[in-house]
Amino acid sequence: MSAAAKAPAPGAPPGRGALRRNLPPARRFLAGRKRVLVRLGGWSLLESAQTFLGGYCLAQALDRGFLAGQTGTGLLWLAVAAASILGAGPPMRGVFTQLAELTEPLRDALVRRAVRQALRRAVTDPARTDDRADTGAVSRLTHQTEIVRDSFAGLVLTVRAFVFNAVGALIGLLALAPELLLVVLPPLVLGIGLFLATLLPMASAQRAFLDADEAVAEGVGAVSAGHRDLVACGAQADAAERTGRLIDTAERTSRVLARWAALRTVALGVAGQLPVLLLLVTTPWLLRQGVTTGALAGALTYLLQALLPALHSMMTALGAAGTRLLVVVDRFQDATAAPVPPKAPDPDPDPDPDMVVEAGTPRGRRPSRTAPAVEIRAVTHAYGPDSPPVLDHLHLTVRRGEHIAVVGPSGIGKSTLAGVVSGLVAPDHGTVLLGGEPVTGATAQDLADRRVLIPQQAYVFTGSVRDNLLHLRPDATSGELTYAIRVLGAEPLVDRLGGTDAVLDPRGLSHGERQLLALCRAYLSSAPLVLLDEATCHLDPAAEARAERAFAERAFTDGARARGGALIVVAHRLSSARRADRVLVLDGTTPRFGTHEELLTSSALYRDLFGHWQHTPPPAGS
């Protein structure tokens, strides 16, 4: 069995990858709103006319009016410029009306995506939700959608203002004196080019910073939530080391982001200040070329009052809001990617004999002709296109009637493995077989007939106790129902509730009571394969041991074995490993599979975990 956690192959920088991922949906979004864009451009052309008149009228007021001794003419040109300023109200109103037609549909689409993603995660990975809200979905639904809307609106406004102000200003400079363009355009183009060259690296740095910041938050939250397990297993030092690495990574990414921000400031200085400086330095040469005083004043007006403020706003928006918009929208793309469709089974590559271990089969011996209960062939799975694989080229064989325990640190992929085996999570590559039959393409009823999965958060609904327990097998007899309740030790609970015909209120049950009822329901299921994904974590150790023994005996019965029966336990306590026939240790590098005694010799992680568990008293209240 080979498992897991190889580093992902290096790919394109996150900024370029994000741009490639988001350009197609952005084009589709804008293509569906061509009329809005045309109306927005029409209103913005009026702003270009205002920009043109501002500098041109000032130049004419000086050259044809005040400097020529024609005061009335000068005042008339200034009145035209003032009228263009006063007439800017209706165009701006039209601009903001069309802007709303762009931003609000974008926000609504992102809200729908966030809701779909949260529902998909709740269905495909219920064990991750426990009693806490999906904070990532809540953030996307509220804070991040507002970030996208505000950033997109600001970006459209500033880019539109620069483009149309630049059109008006450059036409004005050309009309006043073509020589002015020779002075103004080179530094302007140079600064804009330098700035655009920093956009994608800046987006990469921004995304790396956000990823590192979220990793710190998630890491600290995981340590806080699992402190009892960390203390019980003596893993405090390892948790502190991992958290420290996350903090160091966040510090490095913030420094890289600061360096790119400094380069962006240089680009702003080249494009925003150098044209004015060159215009002043070249004034004597321009005057010798016949450029008038009014034309120079008009050029300064274009630069200082229109072009450079719009350029500064656009660079600031693209450098801050633009990169933030690209990163946040890309996170929506990652989080709401369509679920992986069922794939045809990949051709099963010959597994490396040094990396394959079959339960109950000595290394090198061929398995029996009887199909195993579970067979995983070269399975790889990751939760996003840029995420490292949680399961990497995993091979695993569980034979009929076996009791397997899965142990390892939090987040290593234990629940993902349970989801892949149960058919709830489609792997990116590889094949999963239950009783010799592929999971791919199986209907929900087919899967329900083959396996039953009990997650950590047990589902109990309002109704009678009997309805809850017979939910997976309504045709079970009263004798079978009574036996399941007794063998799992649920008789006191059922009696307290008022018997099997009593109405059940889920709000009045503890987590352990819900788990016990869910275990009874799974025991009555006709599915031969049982997967317990920390399904006994809220039970006391004695109740947990009783439940696991009951399910192990159920899997070993002739009928269940003949149909591919087995028990796979994602262990909450290492005592579950002692009761199992074989133990799978996931450690992120080289997983081990063997008996308890074998793993004490071959797996340093298992040896350390078991030693700490054996010699450390459980925390109070556990």
Side-chain angles (χ1 to χ4, degrees), residues 380-428:
T380 298
H381 182 71
Y383 278 105
D386 296 326
S387 302
V390 181
L391 303 174
D392 191 2
H393 203 68
L394 174 66
H395 290 272
L396 175 65
T397 301
V398 179
R399 305 191 72 174
R400 300 187 179 211
E402 282 208 302
H403 174 189
I404 302 301
V406 183
V407 301
S410 297
I412 204 65
K414 302 188 297 294
S415 292
T416 301
L417 176 61
V420 167
V421 172
S422 64
L424 295 179
V425 176
D428 299 328

Side-chain angles (χ1 to χ4, degrees), residues 204-500:
S204 298
Q206 183 88 34
R207 171 155 188 161
F209 172 75
L210 287 178
D211 287 342
D213 184 62
E214 283 195 1
V216 170
E218 291 179 1
V220 172
V223 169
S224 176
H227 70 279
R228 293 175 58 190
D229 292 340
L230 293 173
V231 173
C233 296
Q236 302 98 312
D238 180 66
E241 181 183 355
R242 292 187 181 187
T243 305
R245 288 198 299 267
L246 293 176
I247 294 173
D248 292 341
T249 301
E251 180 185 5
R252 286 195 300 272
T253 58
S254 66
R255 292 181 183 276
V256 171
L257 184 61
R259 285 195 291 269
W260 283 110
L263 185 57
R264 186 189 68 194
T265 303
V266 172
L268 180 60
V270 171
Q273 305 301 327
L274 197 55
V276 177
L277 179 62
L278 288 179
L279 184 62
L280 295 176
V281 170
T282 58
T283 294
W285 175 79
L286 291 171
L287 291 174
R288 289 195 299 270
Q289 302 302 313
V291 178
T292 65
T293 303
L296 289 173
L300 283 174
T301 300
Y302 284 134
L303 289 177
L304 298 177
Q305 298 297 323
L307 194 58
L308 298 186
L311 175 65
H312 184 277
S313 298
M314 184 193 69
M315 285 189 168
T316 302
L318 282 175
T323 52
R324 184 169 61 245
L325 176 66
L326 179 62
V327 170
V328 175
V329 169
D330 190 51
R331 301 179 79 80
F332 274 91
Q333 290 290 99
D334 290 346
T336 60
V340 180
K343 304 182 180 70
D346 292 347
D348 186 24
D350 292 334
D352 185 346
D354 293 331
M355 298 300 291
V356 179
V357 179
E358 294 182 352
T361 304
R363 189 182 298 273
R365 184 184 302 174
R366 297 180 62 84
S368 68
R369 294 179 181 272
T370 303
V374 178
E375 190 172 2
I376 298 176
R377 301 175 181 173
V379 162
T380 298
H381 182 71
Y383 278 105
D386 296 326
S387 302
V390 181
L391 303 174
D392 191 2
H393 203 68
L394 174 66
H395 290 272
L396 175 65
T397 301
V398 179
R399 305 191 72 174
R400 300 187 179 211
E402 282 208 302
H403 174 189
I404 302 301
V406 183
V407 301
S410 297
I412 204 65
K414 302 188 297 294
S415 292
T416 301
L417 176 61
V420 167
V421 172
S422 64
L424 295 179
V425 176
D428 299 328
H429 303 286
T431 304
V432 179
L433 302 174
L434 300 184
E437 298 293 329
V439 170
T440 303
T443 66
Q445 186 58 52
D446 290 338
L447 291 175
D449 291 339
R450 296 189 214 172
R451 55 86 183 117
V452 58
L453 169 67
I454 307 98
Q456 179 179 353
Q457 296 305 309
Y459 172 65
V460 180
F461 56 87
T462 300
S464 69
V465 175
R466 181 186 302 273
D467 291 340
N468 274 272
L469 299 187
L470 299 183
H471 181 63
L472 299 178
R473 189 182 162 205
D475 60 346
T477 66
S478 298
E480 290 171 327
L481 175 61
T482 301
Y483 180 76
I485 294 173
R486 183 174 69 253
V487 76
L488 289 167
E491 289 176 310
L493 172 61
V494 174
D495 291 341
R496 184 181 69 80
L497 295 174
T500 57

Side-chain angles (χ1 to χ4, degrees), residues 499-517:
T500 57
D501 294 324
V503 176
L504 188 64
D505 182 3
R507 295 172 298 178
L509 298 176
S510 68
H511 293 299
E513 290 170 337
R514 294 183 188 183
Q515 286 189 335
L516 191 55
L517 292 176

Side-chain angles (χ1 to χ4, degrees), residues 29-41:
F29 176 80
L30 294 177
R33 291 159 180 83
K34 291 181 180 178
R35 292 185 179 180
V36 176
L37 294 175
V38 170
R39 290 195 294 268
L40 181 63

